[in-house]
Amino acid sequence: MTSSDTRPVPRRLPSGVHEAVRPGCALLRLETTASREGVLDGAWWPRSRDMGAELPALLSALVAHLGPVARVGLDTAAWEGLPTRILVDDRVVHIDSFPVGDDTVLITRGDRDIFSLLVVPPDAAPDAARTAMAQAVLADNISQAEQILIDTGSGRDSSG
């Protein structure tokens, strides 16, 4: 069998990836086109709701891909242990409270370059989380974060 006979294997996260990721790692997907025409620029699947523990890994990953990050905006009512600022690569990143809900985090690079990331709930089922993350990074995505979580079944159960 030659290499031309083999089909490319889709690169997906394995089923147990969320449980297997060690502390200090971020499960993050970013849109791969420079156009940034979709509603969201990426997706993040934190391991817990403790932002003091989760933000350093997210910000380190973002700095590696986007360069210096100035601010993070999230809904303080939705998260535990939220600091007002955090140090990443010897730079202070300010944490702002926005009423964006627990399904979105806003990342500011420079003065006005804002990236909007879908936040998949930590307890989401792996298949639903992967589907939500894939939807969020589509260049032509027109769905808001909350709708993606509803459509993929990865959001919180609203019944109770």
Side-chain angles (χ1 to χ4, degrees), residues 37-95:
E37 292 176 8
V39 170
L40 298 162
D41 300 300
W44 174 46
W45 189 14
R47 299 180 68 224
S48 74
R49 291 204 164 273
D50 180 354
M51 286 299 100
E54 299 294 334
L55 273 178
L58 172 65
L59 293 175
S60 292
L62 288 171
V63 166
H65 292 286
L66 304 177
V69 171
R71 304 189 97 70
V72 175
L74 28 87
D75 193 335
T76 55
W79 301 101
E80 302 166 5
L82 192 63
T84 56
R85 61 185 158 288
I86 194 167
L87 196 63
V88 178
D89 293 342
D90 296 325
R91 296 181 66 127
V92 174
V93 177
H94 296 276
I95 313 298

Side-chain angles (χ1 to χ4, degrees), residues 117-128:
L117 304 179
L118 165 79
V119 179
V120 177
D123 58 350
D127 286 341

Side-chain angles (χ1 to χ4, degrees), residues 2-13:
T2 66
S3 62
S4 63
D5 295 334
T6 59
R7 291 184 179 170
V9 176
R11 298 188 64 181
R12 294 190 223 162
L13 296 173

